[in-house]
Amino acid sequence: QKEVEQDPGPLSVPEGAIVSLNCTYSNSAFQYFMWYRQYSRKGPELLMYTYSSGNKEDGRFTAQVDKSSKYISLFIRDSQPSDSATYLCAINAGGTSYGKLTFGQGTILTVHP
Amino acid sequence: GAGVSQTPSNKVTEKGKYVELRCDPISGHTALYWYRQSLGQGPEFLIYFQGTGAADDSGLPNDRFFAVRPEGSVSTLKIQRTERGDSAVYLCASSQQGMADTQYFGPGTRLTVL
């Protein structure tokens, strides 16, 4: 079993839809939770960063963490064609492993006009 | 300001050859990371530098892989006796201090081993 599981999709939605992306993880030591967006042939760019259970909102994006269920989510409201990309969840255990991010497989999202 | 840069952007080599991949981090960032991303997968951690020293090299797959950061800035990932399975995108990231702060990624080097 992988430490971080993410449904690869692909996910196709119409413009304006609400998108829900999810990851589960197995290691309860994980403390820091991130969502990255990666366009084709580019490096990942950070969208959201959180270290506690609950919700964090930034514009059209909301990150949700449930440590008791080891489940993290990213919601995109009013999705736009420019949101079409691969979305990667990334988790950091902190402590002595603080330099290492463990990524999910990535979910390919297409928002069509 | 300038982001993380990586050279070359593409590298094609033959099985058994030696390759070097270079990473220029964001100026002032003390921490530097290497990841490998295979097609359809998320990035996989290889090694992390804090300053000049490797703080965690637990992700290097075998002794054909080696990385250096002699002056605490530019880093080079070196792969000896390349194999077809080494074909992937090699990503470099840097962050201000290490710990759990934000990692900024470069565009990657696409390595193809024929």
Side-chain angles (χ1 to χ4, degrees):
Chain A
Q1 182 189 8
K2 292 183 179 179
E3 284 190 293
V4 180
E5 298 275 2
Q6 182 176 9
D7 186 340
L11 191 59
S12 181
V13 301
E15 184 174 355
I18 297 174
V19 176
S20 172
L21 304 165
N22 310 291
C23 288
T24 59
Y25 62 94
S26 57
N27 187 345
S28 58
F30 286 143
Q31 297 184 34
Y32 306 95
F33 307 91
M34 286 142 272
W35 285 94
Y36 281 82
R37 178 175 63 195
Q38 186 174 28
Y39 291 113
S40 181
R41 295 190 172 257
K42 301 288 186 184
E45 59 174 323
L46 183 69
L47 281 176
M48 301 287 284
Y49 183 115
T50 185
Y51 58 86
S52 59
S53 283
N55 293 354
K56 181 177 180 180
E57 193 172 313
D58 184 1
R60 297 185 295 111
F61 299 91
T62 299
Q64 190 173 80
V65 176
D66 181 347
K67 286 188 177 181
S68 62
S69 301
K70 301 191 184 70
Y71 192 86
I72 65 172
S73 300
L74 177 71
F75 298 96
I76 307 174
R77 289 184 299 283
D78 187 26
S79 55
Q80 303 295 309
S82 59
D83 295 328
S84 299
T86 297
Y87 289 80
L88 297 153
C89 61
I91 306 180
N92 187 313
T96 58
S97 300
Y98 54 70
K100 173 182 175 180
L101 291 182
T102 301
F103 284 86
Q105 184 176 352
T107 300
I108 301 170
L109 171 67
T110 301
V111 181
H112 51 86
Chain B
V4 177
S5 63
Q6 293 186 245
T7 54
S9 55
N10 283 283
K11 176 71 177 177
V12 180
T13 191
E14 293 179 342
K15 179 175 178 295
K17 299 289 188 183
Y18 168 82
V19 296
E20 289 189 351
L21 312 178
R22 177 187 167 108
C23 173
D24 278 88
I26 293 171
S27 178
H29 281 192
T30 62
L32 185 145
Y33 315 80
W34 284 98
Y35 293 82
R36 177 168 70 174
Q37 187 172 24
S38 300
L39 191 65
Q41 301 297 317
E44 179 185 24
F45 172 81
L46 295 177
I47 187 169
Y48 155 53
F49 287 92
Q50 182 62 266
T52 60
D56 184 350
D57 64 358
S58 62
L60 293 177
N62 52 59
D63 62 6
R64 295 187 298 106
F65 289 75
F66 189 71
V68 295
R69 196 185 184 201
E71 297 178 357
S73 179
V74 170
S75 176
T76 305
L77 178 66
K78 308 180 180 194
I79 311 174
Q80 298 177 322
R81 304 184 305 279
T82 51
E83 300 177 357
R84 293 194 179 88
D86 299 334
S87 296
V89 175
Y90 289 81
L91 293 163
C92 176
S94 70
S95 69
Q96 207 154 22
Q97 295 177 326
M99 303 305 290
D101 61 349
T102 300
Q103 296 185 21
Y104 297 89
F105 282 82
T109 293
R110 184 173 299 273
L111 175 66
T112 303
V113 182
L114 301 176

